[in-house]
Coordinates of all heavy atoms in Angstrom, one line a residue:
A780 N 0.8 -1.1 0.0 CA 0.1 0.0 0.0 C 0.9 1.3 0.0 O 2.0 1.2 0.6 CB -0.9 0.0 1.3
K781 N 0.4 2.3 -0.6 CA 1.1 3.5 -0.6 C 0.8 4.3 0.7 O -0.4 4.5 1.0 CB 0.6 4.4 -1.8 CG 1.6 5.4 -2.2 CD 1.4 5.9 -3.6 CE 2.0 5.0 -4.6 NZ 1.9 5.2 -5.9
I782 N 1.8 4.8 1.3 CA 1.6 5.4 2.6 C 2.4 6.7 2.6 O 3.6 6.8 2.2 CB 2.1 4.6 3.9 CG1 1.3 3.3 3.9 CG2 1.9 5.3 5.1 CD1 1.6 2.5 5.0
T783 N 1.8 7.8 3.0 CA 2.4 9.1 3.1 C 2.7 9.4 4.6 O 1.7 9.4 5.4 CB 1.5 10.1 2.5 OG1 1.3 9.8 1.1 CG2 2.2 11.5 2.5
Y784 N 3.9 9.6 4.9 CA 4.4 10.0 6.2 C 4.7 11.5 6.1 O 5.5 11.9 5.3 CB 5.6 9.3 6.7 CG 5.4 7.8 6.8 CD1 5.6 7.0 5.6 CD2 5.2 7.1 8.0 CE1 5.5 5.6 5.7 CE2 5.0 5.8 8.0 CZ 5.3 5.0 6.9 OH 5.0 3.6 7.0
I785 N 4.1 12.3 7.0 CA 4.4 13.8 7.0 C 5.1 14.1 8.2 O 4.6 13.8 9.4 CB 3.1 14.5 6.8 CG1 2.3 14.1 5.6 CG2 3.4 16.0 6.7 CD1 1.0 14.8 5.4
E786 N 6.2 14.7 8.0 CA 7.1 15.1 9.2 C 6.4 16.3 9.9 O 5.7 17.0 9.3 CB 8.5 15.4 8.8 CG 9.3 14.2 8.4 CD 10.8 14.7 8.1 OE1 11.4 15.2 8.9 OE2 11.2 14.4 6.9
H787 N 6.9 16.6 11.1 CA 6.4 17.7 11.9 C 6.5 19.1 11.1 O 5.7 19.9 11.1 CB 7.2 17.8 13.2 CG 6.6 18.8 14.1 ND1 7.2 20.0 14.3 CD2 5.5 18.8 14.9 CE1 6.5 20.8 15.1 NE2 5.4 20.1 15.5
D788 N 7.6 19.1 10.3 CA 7.9 20.4 9.6 C 7.2 20.4 8.2 O 7.3 21.3 7.4 CB 9.4 20.6 9.4 CG 10.0 19.5 8.4 OD1 9.3 18.7 7.9 OD2 11.2 19.6 8.2
G789 N 6.4 19.4 7.9 CA 5.6 19.4 6.7 C 6.3 18.6 5.5 O 5.6 18.3 4.5
T790 N 7.4 18.1 5.7 CA 8.1 17.3 4.7 C 7.3 16.0 4.5 O 7.1 15.2 5.5 CB 9.5 17.0 5.0 OG1 10.1 18.1 5.5 CG2 10.2 16.3 3.9
E791 N 6.9 15.8 3.2 CA 6.1 14.4 2.9 C 7.0 13.4 2.3 O 7.9 13.7 1.5 CB 5.0 14.8 1.9 CG 4.0 15.7 2.5 CD 2.8 15.8 1.6 OE1 2.6 15.0 0.7 OE2 2.0 16.7 1.8
H792 N 6.7 12.2 2.8 CA 7.4 11.0 2.3 C 6.4 10.1 1.7 O 5.7 9.5 2.6 CB 8.3 10.4 3.3 CG 9.3 11.3 4.0 ND1 10.6 11.4 3.5 CD2 9.2 12.0 5.0 CE1 11.3 12.2 4.3 NE2 10.4 12.6 5.2
Q793 N 6.3 9.8 0.5 CA 5.3 8.9 0.0 C 6.1 7.5 -0.4 O 7.0 7.6 -1.2 CB 4.5 9.4 -1.2 CG 3.3 8.6 -1.4 CD 2.4 9.1 -2.6 OE1 2.9 9.0 -3.8 NE2 1.3 9.7 -2.3
V794 N 5.8 6.5 0.3 CA 6.5 5.2 0.0 C 5.5 4.1 -0.1 O 4.4 4.2 0.3 CB 7.5 4.9 1.2 CG1 8.5 6.0 1.3 CG2 6.8 4.7 2.5
E795 N 6.1 3.0 -0.8 CA 5.3 1.8 -1.0 C 5.6 0.8 0.2 O 6.8 0.6 0.4 CB 5.6 1.2 -2.3 CG 4.8 0.1 -2.8 CD 3.3 0.4 -3.0 OE1 3.0 1.5 -3.5 OE2 2.5 -0.4 -2.6
V796 N 4.7 0.4 1.0 CA 4.9 -0.5 2.1 C 4.1 -1.8 1.8 O 3.0 -1.8 1.5 CB 4.5 0.1 3.4 CG1 4.8 -0.9 4.5 CG2 5.2 1.5 3.7
A797 N 4.9 -2.9 1.9 CA 4.3 -4.2 1.6 C 3.3 -4.5 2.6 O 3.4 -4.3 3.8 CB 5.4 -5.2 1.6
D798 N 2.2 -5.2 2.2 CA 1.2 -5.7 3.1 C 1.8 -6.6 4.1 O 2.6 -7.4 3.7 CB 0.0 -6.4 2.3 CG -0.7 -5.5 1.3 OD1 -0.5 -4.2 1.4 OD2 -1.6 -5.9 0.5
G799 N 1.2 -6.5 5.2 CA 1.7 -7.5 6.3 C 2.8 -6.8 7.2 O 2.9 -7.2 8.3
L800 N 3.5 -5.8 6.7 CA 4.4 -5.0 7.6 C 3.4 -4.1 8.4 O 2.3 -3.8 8.1 CB 5.3 -4.2 6.7 CG 6.4 -4.9 5.9 CD1 7.2 -4.0 5.1 CD2 7.2 -5.8 6.8
S801 N 4.1 -3.4 9.5 CA 3.4 -2.5 10.2 C 3.7 -1.1 9.6 O 4.7 -1.0 8.9 CB 3.8 -2.5 11.7 OG 5.2 -2.1 11.8
V802 N 3.0 -0.1 9.9 CA 3.2 1.3 9.5 C 4.5 1.7 10.0 O 5.3 2.5 9.4 CB 2.0 2.2 10.0 CG1 2.4 3.7 9.7 CG2 0.8 1.8 9.2
M803 N 4.9 1.2 11.3 CA 6.2 1.5 11.8 C 7.3 0.9 11.0 O 8.3 1.6 10.6 CB 6.3 1.0 13.3 CG 7.6 1.1 14.0 SD 8.8 -0.1 13.5 CE 8.3 -1.5 14.6
E804 N 7.2 -0.4 10.7 CA 8.2 -1.0 9.8 C 8.4 -0.3 8.5 O 9.6 -0.1 8.0 CB 7.9 -2.5 9.6 CG 8.2 -3.3 10.8 CD 7.6 -4.7 10.7 OE1 6.4 -4.9 10.3 OE2 8.3 -5.7 11.1
G805 N 7.4 0.2 7.9 CA 7.4 0.8 6.6 C 8.2 2.1 6.8 O 9.0 2.5 5.9
A806 N 8.1 2.8 8.0 CA 8.8 4.0 8.2 C 10.2 3.8 8.4 O 11.2 4.4 7.7 CB 8.2 4.8 9.4
V807 N 10.6 2.7 9.2 CA 12.0 2.4 9.5 C 12.7 2.0 8.2 O 13.8 2.4 8.0 CB 12.0 1.4 10.6 CG1 13.4 0.8 10.7 CG2 11.5 1.9 12.0
R808 N 12.1 1.1 7.4 CA 12.7 0.6 6.2 C 13.0 1.7 5.2 O 13.8 1.6 4.3 CB 11.8 -0.4 5.5 CG 11.9 -1.8 6.4 CD 11.1 -2.8 5.7 NE 11.1 -3.9 6.6 CZ 10.9 -5.2 6.2 NH1 10.8 -5.5 4.9 NH2 10.8 -6.2 7.1
N809 N 12.2 2.8 5.2 CA 12.4 3.8 4.2 C 13.0 5.1 4.9 O 13.0 6.1 4.3 CB 11.0 4.3 3.7 CG 10.5 3.1 2.8 OD1 11.0 3.0 1.6 ND2 9.5 2.4 3.3
L810 N 13.6 4.8 6.1 CA 14.4 5.8 6.8 C 13.6 7.2 6.9 O 14.1 8.3 6.8 CB 15.7 6.1 6.1 CG 16.6 4.9 5.7 CD1 17.8 5.3 5.0 CD2 17.0 4.2 7.1
I811 N 12.4 7.0 7.3 CA 11.5 8.2 7.6 C 11.9 8.8 9.0 O 11.9 8.0 10.0 CB 10.0 7.8 7.7 CG1 9.6 7.0 6.4 CG2 9.2 9.1 7.8 CD1 9.5 7.7 5.1
P812 N 12.3 10.0 9.0 CA 12.6 10.5 10.4 C 11.4 10.6 11.3 O 10.2 10.8 10.8 CB 13.1 12.0 10.0 CG 13.2 12.0 8.6 CD 12.4 11.0 8.0
G813 N 11.6 10.6 12.6 CA 10.5 10.9 13.5 C 9.9 9.6 14.1 O 9.0 9.7 15.0
I814 N 10.3 8.5 13.7 CA 9.8 7.2 14.2 C 11.1 6.4 14.7 O 11.8 6.0 13.8 CB 9.0 6.4 13.3 CG1 7.7 7.3 12.9 CG2 8.6 5.0 13.8 CD1 6.7 6.5 12.0
D815 N 11.2 6.3 16.0 CA 12.4 5.7 16.6 C 12.1 4.2 16.7 O 13.1 3.4 16.5 CB 12.7 6.4 17.9 CG 13.2 7.7 17.7 OD1 13.5 8.1 16.5 OD2 13.2 8.5 18.6
A816 N 11.0 3.8 17.2 CA 10.7 2.4 17.3 C 11.8 1.6 18.2 O 12.2 0.6 17.8 CB 10.4 1.7 16.0
D817 N 12.0 2.2 19.4 CA 13.1 1.5 20.1 C 12.8 0.0 20.5 O 13.8 -0.6 20.7 CB 13.2 2.4 21.5 CG 13.8 3.7 21.3 OD1 14.5 4.0 20.2 OD2 13.6 4.6 22.1
C818 N 11.6 -0.4 20.7 CA 11.3 -1.7 21.1 C 11.2 -2.6 19.9 O 11.0 -3.8 20.1 CB 10.1 -1.7 22.0 SG 8.6 -1.7 21.1
G819 N 11.2 -2.1 18.7 CA 11.2 -3.0 17.6 C 9.8 -3.5 17.2 O 9.7 -4.5 16.5
G820 N 8.8 -2.9 17.8 CA 7.4 -3.3 17.4 C 6.7 -4.1 18.4 O 5.7 -4.7 18.1
A821 N 7.2 -4.1 19.6 CA 6.6 -5.0 20.7 C 5.5 -4.3 21.5 O 5.1 -4.8 22.4 CB 7.6 -5.6 21.6
C822 N 5.2 -3.1 21.1 CA 4.2 -2.3 21.8 C 4.7 -2.0 23.2 O 3.9 -2.1 24.2 CB 2.8 -3.0 21.9 SG 1.5 -1.8 22.3
A823 N 6.0 -1.7 23.3 CA 6.6 -1.6 24.6 C 7.5 -0.3 24.7 O 8.3 -0.2 25.7 CB 7.4 -2.7 25.0
C824 N 7.4 0.6 23.8 CA 8.3 1.8 24.0 C 7.5 3.2 23.7 O 8.0 4.2 24.2 CB 9.4 1.7 23.0 SG 9.1 1.9 21.3
A825 N 6.4 3.1 22.9 CA 5.8 4.3 22.5 C 6.6 5.4 21.7 O 6.2 6.5 21.4 CB 5.2 5.1 23.8
T826 N 7.7 5.0 21.1 CA 8.5 5.9 20.3 C 8.2 5.7 18.8 O 8.9 6.2 18.0 CB 10.0 5.7 20.5 OG1 10.4 4.4 20.1 CG2 10.4 6.0 21.9
C827 N 7.1 5.0 18.6 CA 6.6 4.9 17.1 C 5.2 5.6 17.0 O 4.4 5.4 16.1 CB 6.5 3.4 16.8 SG 5.2 2.6 17.7
H828 N 5.1 6.5 18.0 CA 3.8 7.4 18.0 C 3.6 8.1 16.7 O 4.5 8.8 16.2 CB 3.9 8.3 19.2 CG 2.8 9.3 19.4 ND1 3.1 10.4 20.0 CD2 1.5 9.3 19.0 CE1 1.9 11.2 20.1 NE2 1.1 10.5 19.4
V829 N 2.4 8.0 16.1 CA 2.0 8.9 14.9 C 0.6 9.4 15.1 O -0.1 8.9 16.0 CB 2.1 8.0 13.6 CG1 3.5 7.5 13.3 CG2 1.1 6.9 13.6
Y830 N 0.3 10.4 14.3 CA -1.1 10.9 14.2 C -1.6 10.4 12.9 O -1.2 10.7 11.9 CB -1.0 12.4 14.3 CG -0.4 13.1 15.5 CD1 0.9 13.6 15.4 CD2 -1.0 12.9 16.8 CE1 1.5 14.2 16.5 CE2 -0.4 13.5 17.9 CZ 0.9 14.0 17.8 OH 1.4 14.4 18.9
V831 N -2.8 9.7 13.1 CA -3.4 9.2 11.8 C -4.3 10.3 11.3 O -5.1 11.0 12.1 CB -4.3 8.0 12.2 CG1 -5.2 7.5 11.1 CG2 -3.4 6.8 12.7
D832 N -4.2 10.5 10.0 CA -5.1 11.5 9.3 C -6.5 11.3 9.6 O -7.0 10.0 9.6 CB -4.8 11.4 7.8 CG -5.5 12.6 7.1 OD1 -5.0 13.6 7.1 OD2 -6.6 12.2 6.6
E833 N -7.3 12.3 9.9 CA -8.7 12.1 10.3 C -9.5 11.1 9.3 O -10.3 10.3 9.8 CB -9.5 13.5 10.2 CG -9.2 14.2 11.5 CD -9.5 13.6 12.9 OE1 -10.5 12.9 12.8 OE2 -8.6 13.7 13.8
A834 N -9.2 11.3 8.0 CA -10.0 10.5 7.0 C -9.7 9.0 7.1 O -10.4 8.2 6.6 CB -9.6 11.0 5.7
W835 N -8.6 8.7 7.8 CA -8.2 7.3 8.0 C -8.4 6.6 9.3 O -8.0 5.5 9.5 CB -6.7 7.2 7.6 CG -6.5 7.4 6.1 CD1 -6.3 8.6 5.5 CD2 -6.7 6.5 5.0 NE1 -6.2 8.5 4.1 CE2 -6.5 7.2 3.8 CE3 -6.9 5.0 5.0 CZ2 -6.5 6.4 2.6 CZ3 -6.9 4.4 3.8 CH2 -6.8 5.1 2.7
R836 N -9.0 7.4 10.2 CA -9.1 6.9 11.6 C -9.8 5.6 11.6 O -9.6 4.6 12.3 CB -9.6 7.9 12.6 CG -8.5 8.9 12.9 CD -9.0 10.0 13.8 NE -9.3 9.3 15.1 CZ -9.8 10.1 16.2 NH1 -10.0 11.3 16.0 NH2 -10.2 9.4 17.3
E837 N -11.0 5.5 10.8 CA -11.8 4.4 10.9 C -11.2 3.2 10.4 O -11.2 2.0 11.0 CB -13.1 4.7 10.1 CG -14.3 3.8 10.6 CD -15.6 4.4 10.0 OE1 -15.8 5.6 10.1 OE2 -16.3 3.6 9.4
K838 N -10.6 3.4 9.3 CA -9.9 2.2 8.6 C -8.7 1.6 9.5 O -8.4 0.4 9.3 CB -9.4 2.5 7.2 CG -10.6 2.4 6.2 CD -10.0 2.3 4.9 CE -11.2 2.1 3.8 NZ -10.9 2.4 2.5
T839 N -8.1 2.4 10.2 CA -6.9 2.0 11.0 C -7.3 1.4 12.3 O -6.4 0.8 12.9 CB -5.8 3.1 11.2 OG1 -6.6 4.3 11.7 CG2 -5.1 3.5 9.9
G840 N -8.6 1.4 12.6 CA -9.0 0.7 13.8 C -8.8 1.5 15.0 O -8.5 2.7 15.0
T841 N -9.0 0.8 16.1 CA -8.8 1.5 17.4 C -7.6 0.9 18.3 O -7.1 -0.1 17.9 CB -10.1 1.3 18.3 OG1 -10.5 -0.1 18.3 CG2 -11.3 2.1 17.7
R842 N -7.2 1.7 19.3 CA -6.1 1.2 20.1 C -6.5 0.0 20.9 O -7.6 -0.1 21.4 CB -5.8 2.3 21.0 CG -5.5 3.7 20.4 CD -5.4 4.7 21.5 NE -5.3 6.1 20.9 CZ -5.5 7.2 21.6 NH1 -5.8 7.1 22.8 NH2 -5.4 8.3 21.0
S843 N -5.5 -0.9 21.1 CA -5.7 -2.0 22.0 C -5.4 -1.4 23.3 O -4.9 -0.4 23.6 CB -4.7 -3.1 21.6 OG -3.4 -2.7 22.0
A844 N -5.8 -2.2 24.4 CA -5.6 -1.8 25.8 C -4.2 -1.6 26.1 O -3.8 -0.6 26.7 CB -6.2 -2.8 26.8
M845 N -3.3 -2.4 25.6 CA -1.9 -2.4 25.7 C -1.3 -1.1 25.1 O -0.5 -0.4 25.6 CB -1.1 -3.5 25.2 CG 0.3 -3.8 25.6 SD 0.8 -5.3 25.0 CE 2.6 -5.2 25.1
E846 N -1.7 -0.9 23.9 CA -1.4 0.3 23.1 C -1.8 1.6 23.9 O -1.0 2.5 24.1 CB -2.0 0.3 21.8 CG -1.6 1.4 20.8 CD -2.2 1.3 19.4 OE1 -2.9 0.3 19.2 OE2 -2.2 2.3 18.7
E847 N -3.0 1.6 24.5 CA -3.6 2.7 25.2 C -2.6 2.9 26.4 O -2.2 4.2 26.6 CB -5.0 2.2 25.7 CG -5.7 3.4 26.3 CD -6.4 4.2 25.3 OE1 -7.2 3.7 24.4 OE2 -6.2 5.4 25.3
S848 N -2.2 2.0 27.1 CA -1.4 2.3 28.3 C 0.1 2.7 27.9 O 0.7 3.5 28.6 CB -1.3 1.0 29.3 OG -1.0 -0.1 28.6
M849 N 0.6 2.2 26.7 CA 1.9 2.6 26.3 C 1.8 4.1 25.9 O 2.8 4.9 26.1 CB 2.4 1.9 25.1 CG 3.1 0.5 25.4 SD 4.2 0.6 26.9 CE 5.4 1.9 26.4
L850 N 0.7 4.5 25.3 CA 0.6 5.9 24.8 C 0.6 6.9 26.0 O 1.0 8.1 25.8 CB -0.7 6.1 24.1 CG -0.6 5.7 22.6 CD1 -2.0 5.8 22.0 CD2 0.3 6.8 21.8
D851 N 0.4 6.4 27.2 CA 0.6 7.3 28.4 C 2.0 7.8 28.5 O 2.3 8.8 29.1 CB 0.3 6.5 29.7 CG -1.2 6.3 29.8 OD1 -2.0 6.9 29.1 OD2 -1.7 5.5 30.7
F852 N 2.9 7.1 27.9 CA 4.4 7.5 27.9 C 4.8 8.4 26.8 O 6.0 8.9 26.8 CB 5.3 6.2 28.0 CG 5.1 5.4 29.2 CD1 4.2 4.3 29.2 CD2 5.6 5.7 30.5 CE1 4.0 3.6 30.3 CE2 5.5 5.0 31.6 CZ 4.6 3.9 31.5
A853 N 3.9 8.6 25.9 CA 4.2 9.5 24.7 C 3.8 10.9 25.0 O 2.9 11.1 25.8 CB 3.4 8.9 23.5
D854 N 4.5 11.8 24.4 CA 4.3 13.3 24.5 C 3.2 13.6 23.4 O 3.2 13.1 22.3 CB 5.5 14.1 24.3 CG 6.5 13.8 25.4 OD1 6.1 13.8 26.6 OD2 7.7 13.8 25.2
G855 N 2.4 14.6 23.8 CA 1.6 15.2 22.8 C 0.4 14.3 22.2 O 0.2 14.4 21.1
V856 N 0.0 13.4 23.1 CA -1.0 12.5 22.6 C -2.4 13.2 22.3 O -2.9 13.9 23.1 CB -1.3 11.4 23.6 CG1 -2.5 10.5 23.2 CG2 0.0 10.5 23.7
E857 N -2.9 12.9 21.1 CA -4.2 13.4 20.7 C -5.1 12.2 20.5 O -4.7 11.1 20.5 CB -4.0 14.2 19.4 CG -2.9 15.3 19.4 CD -3.3 16.6 20.0 OE1 -4.6 16.7 20.3 OE2 -2.6 17.5 20.1
D858 N -6.4 12.7 20.2 CA -7.4 11.6 19.9 C -7.0 10.7 18.8 O -7.4 9.5 18.7 CB -8.7 12.2 19.5 CG -9.4 12.9 20.7 OD1 -9.0 12.6 21.8 OD2 -10.4 13.5 20.4
N859 N -6.2 11.3 17.8 CA -5.9 10.5 16.6 C -4.4 9.8 16.7 O -4.0 9.3 15.8 CB -6.0 11.3 15.3 CG -5.0 12.4 15.3 OD1 -4.6 12.8 16.3 ND2 -4.8 13.0 14.1
S860 N -3.9 9.8 18.0 CA -2.6 9.2 18.2 C -2.7 7.7 18.1 O -3.7 7.1 18.7 CB -2.1 9.6 19.6 OG -1.7 10.9 19.6
R861 N -1.7 7.0 17.5 CA -1.6 5.6 17.5 C -0.2 5.1 17.6 O 0.7 6.1 17.4 CB -2.2 5.0 16.2 CG -3.6 5.1 16.0 CD -4.5 4.3 17.0 NE -4.1 2.9 17.0 CZ -4.5 1.9 16.2 NH1 -5.4 2.3 15.2 NH2 -4.1 0.7 16.3
L862 N 0.1 4.0 18.0 CA 1.4 3.5 17.9 C 1.5 2.7 16.6 O 0.7 1.9 16.3 CB 1.7 2.5 19.0 CG 1.8 3.1 20.4 CD1 2.1 2.0 21.5 CD2 2.9 4.2 20.5
S863 N 2.5 3.2 15.8 CA 2.4 2.8 14.4 C 2.8 1.3 14.2 O 2.6 0.7 13.1 CB 3.4 3.7 13.4 OG 4.7 3.7 14.0
C864 N 3.4 0.8 15.2 CA 3.8 -0.6 15.1 C 2.6 -1.6 15.3 O 2.6 -2.8 15.0 CB 4.9 -1.1 16.1 SG 4.4 -1.0 17.8
Q865 N 1.4 -0.9 15.7 CA 0.2 -1.6 15.9 C -0.7 -1.5 14.8 O -1.9 -2.0 14.9 CB -0.4 -1.2 17.3 CG 0.5 -1.4 18.5 CD 0.9 -3.0 18.6 OE1 0.2 -3.8 18.7 NE2 2.2 -3.1 18.6
I866 N -0.4 -0.8 13.8 CA -1.2 -0.7 12.6 C -0.6 -1.5 11.5 O 0.6 -1.3 11.0 CB -1.2 0.8 12.1 CG1 -1.7 1.7 13.2 CG2 -2.2 0.9 11.0 CD1 -1.8 3.1 12.9
K867 N -1.4 -2.5 11.1 CA -0.8 -3.4 10.0 C -1.2 -2.9 8.7 O -2.4 -2.6 8.5 CB -1.5 -4.8 10.3 CG -0.7 -5.9 9.6 CD -1.3 -7.2 10.0 CE -0.6 -8.3 9.1 NZ -0.9 -9.7 9.5
V868 N -0.3 -2.9 7.8 CA -0.6 -2.5 6.4 C -1.3 -3.5 5.6 O -0.9 -4.7 5.6 CB 0.8 -2.2 5.7 CG1 0.5 -1.8 4.2 CG2 1.5 -1.1 6.5
T869 N -2.4 -3.2 5.0 CA -3.2 -4.0 4.1 C -3.5 -3.2 2.9 O -3.4 -2.0 2.9 CB -4.6 -4.5 4.8 OG1 -5.3 -3.3 5.0 CG2 -4.3 -5.3 6.1
A870 N -4.1 -3.9 1.9 CA -4.5 -3.2 0.6 C -5.5 -2.0 1.1 O -5.5 -1.0 0.3 CB -5.0 -4.2 -0.3
D871 N -6.3 -2.3 2.0 CA -7.3 -1.4 2.4 C -6.8 0.0 2.9 O -7.4 1.0 2.9 CB -7.9 -1.9 3.7 CG -9.3 -2.5 3.4 OD1 -9.6 -2.7 2.2 OD2 -10.1 -2.8 4.3
L872 N -5.4 0.0 3.3 CA -4.8 1.2 3.7 C -4.1 1.9 2.6 O -3.3 2.8 2.9 CB -3.9 0.9 4.9 CG -4.6 0.4 6.2 CD1 -3.6 0.3 7.3 CD2 -5.8 1.2 6.6
D873 N -4.3 1.5 1.4 CA -3.7 2.3 0.3 C -4.0 3.7 0.2 O -5.2 4.0 0.3 CB -4.0 1.6 -1.1 CG -3.2 2.1 -2.2 OD1 -1.9 2.1 -2.0 OD2 -3.7 2.4 -3.2
G874 N -3.0 4.6 0.4 CA -3.3 6.0 0.5 C -3.2 6.6 1.8 O -3.4 7.8 2.1
L875 N -3.0 5.8 2.8 CA -2.9 6.2 4.3 C -2.0 7.4 4.5 O -0.9 7.4 3.9 CB -2.5 5.1 5.1 CG -2.3 5.3 6.5 CD1 -3.6 5.7 7.3 CD2 -1.6 4.1 7.3
I876 N -2.5 8.3 5.3 CA -1.6 9.5 5.7 C -1.4 9.4 7.2 O -2.4 9.4 8.0 CB -2.3 10.8 5.2 CG1 -2.5 10.8 3.7 CG2 -1.4 12.0 5.7 CD1 -3.3 11.8 3.2
V877 N -0.2 9.5 7.6 CA 0.1 9.7 9.1 C 1.1 10.8 9.2 O 1.9 11.1 8.3 CB 0.7 8.3 9.7 CG1 -0.4 7.2 9.6 CG2 2.0 7.9 9.1
R878 N 1.0 11.4 10.3 CA 2.0 12.5 10.7 C 2.9 12.0 11.9 O 2.4 11.4 12.8 CB 1.3 13.8 11.1 CG 0.6 14.4 9.9 CD -0.3 15.6 10.2 NE -0.8 16.1 9.0 CZ -1.9 15.7 8.3 NH1 -2.4 14.7 8.8 NH2 -2.3 16.1 7.2
T879 N 4.2 12.4 11.8 CA 5.0 12.0 12.9 C 5.2 13.2 13.8 O 5.1 14.4 13.4 CB 6.4 11.5 12.3 OG1 7.0 12.6 11.5 CG2 6.2 10.3 11.5
P880 N 5.4 12.9 15.1 CA 5.6 14.1 16.1 C 6.9 14.7 15.9 O 7.8 14.2 15.2 CB 5.5 13.4 17.4 CG 5.2 11.9 17.1 CD 5.4 11.6 15.7
E881 N 7.1 15.9 16.5 CA 8.2 16.6 16.5 C 9.4 15.8 16.9 O 10.6 15.8 16.4 CB 8.2 17.9 17.2 CG 9.4 18.8 17.0 CD 9.1 20.2 17.6 OE1 8.1 20.4 18.3 OE2 10.1 21.1 17.4
Y882 N 9.3 15.1 18.0 CA 10.3 14.2 18.5 C 9.6 13.1 19.3 O 8.5 13.2 19.7 CB 11.3 14.9 19.4 CG 10.6 15.6 20.6 CD1 10.4 15.0 21.8 CD2 10.2 17.0 20.5 CE1 9.7 15.5 22.8 CE2 9.5 17.7 21.6 CZ 9.4 16.9 22.7 OH 8.8 17.6 23.7
Q883 N 10.4 12.0 19.4 CA 9.8 10.9 20.2 C 10.7 10.8 21.5 O 11.8 10.9 21.5 CB 10.0 9.6 19.5 CG 9.3 9.6 18.1 CD 7.8 9.1 18.0 OE1 7.3 8.9 19.2 NE2 7.2 9.0 16.9
G884 N 10.0 10.4 22.6 CA 11.0 10.3 23.7 C 10.3 9.9 25.0 O 9.2 9.4 25.1
Ligands
LIG1894 FE1 7.8 0.3 20.4 FE2 5.8 0.6 18.6 S1 7.9 0.2 18.2 S2 5.8 0.6 20.8

């Protein structure tokens, strides 16, 4: 699926991410800045925090309870905040837009 990652400063990166990977893996493989993913996708670090574009919130689903509690450790959490390692890429997500926070920590 084609995914657009938008950096905090507005820089856009449109990349092709294979189905089955996570939105976090797509970012790391394409060297998108702003996603650190310290835990490697185990839902245990919150440094893969992204903001899902409003138009895509329904398709990307809802946070799991574990994701919800990890997000407590992220800065600047909004209603559309997700951990990108918990969003699995499928053909349905072709065109997905996510924004990365200014920094992760
Ligand atoms: Fe650590 Fe997503 S990569 S919570």
